[in-house]
Amino acid sequence: MYSKANLPEIGITTRAKLRSAIKRGDLLPLRAGWYSQPDANPEVCRAVKAGGQLGCLSGCKYYGLWVPRISKTHVCLRPGSRRVEHDTLVLHRLTPDQARAPFQPLAKLTDCLTHVAHRHDGETALIVIESAIDKKLISPAVAQTILSSIPEYRRRATAKYLCSNSQSGSETRVRLFLQKRGLTVQPQARIPQVGFVDMLVGNSLIIECDGMEYHHTVAAFENDRRRDFHAQLMGYRVLRLSYSQIWHNWENTALLLAELISTRTYLAPPKPAKL
């Protein structure tokens, strides 16, 4: 991605050379003063063409974070810039402070996370922020700084649930649901003979959140069944939730989880089977 001022870096020093590069297809004009190479990221190109920069959830996705499935490109616009409405775009306005920074086609990671924290619900904010922590792209302290920038009433309901060892958005969604109902949840708890589990609820309920690519090998399937067997022999109850249950059918799954926790059986300590 090149601005007009950067074109000399690739040997384009005259209008004639620019026209020639565009005619050959070496450069694609996006908007006045901005050009891309043919293999440039299409979402970044779409954002620049719309008059803004790639940010918010789309920016988080670009940086490789766990992001809830999105179907539109999130574009951040400077105050006063013309809105280009399109059904494939979600448009956000930058704050005056954000807009003072020099323009870049892709927002910085911390800015993308801040966009999400300000413009989306607390669950979504925690999902992307915890993913950034898990990938060691930000520290828990930076995460708290990002959350401290949102309005106080939202910060109180979000920051206290921040976790530094959540490994997927699915884990964050399930853990947050339980914690908001007052349950004690230990993420990535280590259980002898079983290993690390996604979360231990109370004293004896293990919840595993299977990803979309779950069981891509026979070995993974067999290993999880072995772990589940050991856990149940040790007196734990094991609940596996699929990606579809957590994301495509969450409303029904949440109702069933609420029924399960109403039994309070998770409070009982694990009672190993007598062999």
Side-chain angles (χ1 to χ4, degrees):
M1 190 79 60
Y2 300 97
S3 68
K4 186 176 181 180
N6 296 135
L7 290 177
E9 296 175 7
I10 55 173
I12 298 178
T13 54
T14 65
R15 290 183 179 180
K17 287 184 177 181
L18 176 58
R19 287 194 297 270
S20 178
I22 292 173
K23 186 175 181 178
R24 292 193 309 270
D26 295 338
L27 283 181
L28 304 175
L30 299 177
R31 71 170 196 248
W34 281 93
Y35 308 87
S36 74
Q37 293 174 312
D39 60 351
N41 181 279
E43 291 232 296
V44 177
C45 293
R46 196 173 298 127
V48 173
K49 194 170 185 177
Q53 64 179 175
L54 192 72
C56 201
L57 286 171
S58 294
C60 290
K61 182 180 178 181
Y62 181 96
Y63 284 108
L65 303 188
W66 205 109
V67 174
R69 186 170 294 181
I70 54 176
S71 59
K72 298 183 179 182
T73 302
H74 289 241
V75 179
C76 296
L77 303 173
R78 291 173 177 268
S81 60
R82 184 172 62 91
R83 294 177 67 91
V84 180
E85 300 292 349
H86 197 282
D87 58 7
T88 65
L89 304 177
V90 176
L91 302 177
H92 304 296
R93 288 289 183 193
L94 296 173
T95 66
D97 285 344
Q98 293 169 338
R100 273 194 284 271
F103 176 81
Q104 295 294 332
L106 173 67
K108 294 189 301 182
L109 173 60
T110 51
D111 286 341
C112 293
L113 295 170
T114 302
H115 300 159
V116 177
H118 278 265
R119 294 171 175 83
H120 294 272
D121 59 273
E123 178 191 85
T124 302
L126 284 177
I127 284 172
V128 294
I129 289 173
E130 290 181 359
S131 179
I133 294 173
D134 178 58
K135 293 179 180 297
K136 298 185 177 1
L137 297 176
I138 65 170
S139 66
V142 169
Q144 288 289 358
T145 299
I146 291 169
L147 290 173
S148 71
S149 69
I150 62 179
E152 185 178 354
Y153 75 95
R154 290 186 58 203
R155 181 171 68 250
R156 288 198 304 268
T158 305
K160 66 179 179 180
Y161 296 115
L162 181 67
C163 172
S164 61
N165 58 350
S166 180
Q167 296 186 343
S168 75
S170 296
E171 291 179 30
T172 299
R173 165 167 273 194
V174 174
R175 187 197 79 242
L176 190 60
F177 174 85
L178 298 171
Q179 288 178 323
K180 284 188 171 181
R181 283 152 183 80
L183 277 69
T184 300
V185 183
Q186 299 178 55
Q188 297 303 314
R190 188 180 185 282
I191 296 176
Q193 299 183 57
V194 177
F196 289 97
V197 299
D198 288 344
M199 63 192 80
L200 176 62
V201 183
N203 296 309
S204 56
L205 174 61
I206 293 172
I207 297 182
E208 299 277 24
C209 302
D210 295 334
M212 188 164 48
E213 72 290 347
Y214 180 61
H215 289 159
H216 60 285
T217 67
V218 173
F221 182 93
E222 294 296 336
N223 183 56
D224 283 340
R225 291 306 176 272
R226 177 192 62 78
R227 284 159 44 90
D228 292 353
F229 203 158
H230 277 295
Q232 292 185 63
L233 285 174
M234 296 172 66
Y236 292 92
R237 183 175 185 176
V238 181
L239 175 63
R240 283 192 173 274
L241 296 176
S242 69
Y243 182 92
S244 180
Q245 286 176 304
I246 297 171
W247 293 103
H248 300 156
N249 196 27
W250 176 242
E251 185 175 344
N252 186 58
T253 301
L255 289 174
L256 293 174
L257 278 175
E259 287 186 27
L260 175 61
I261 64 179
S262 70
T263 66
R264 300 176 66 82
T265 53
Y266 59 89
L267 294 173
K271 187 176 181 180
K274 293 182 180 180
L275 301 178

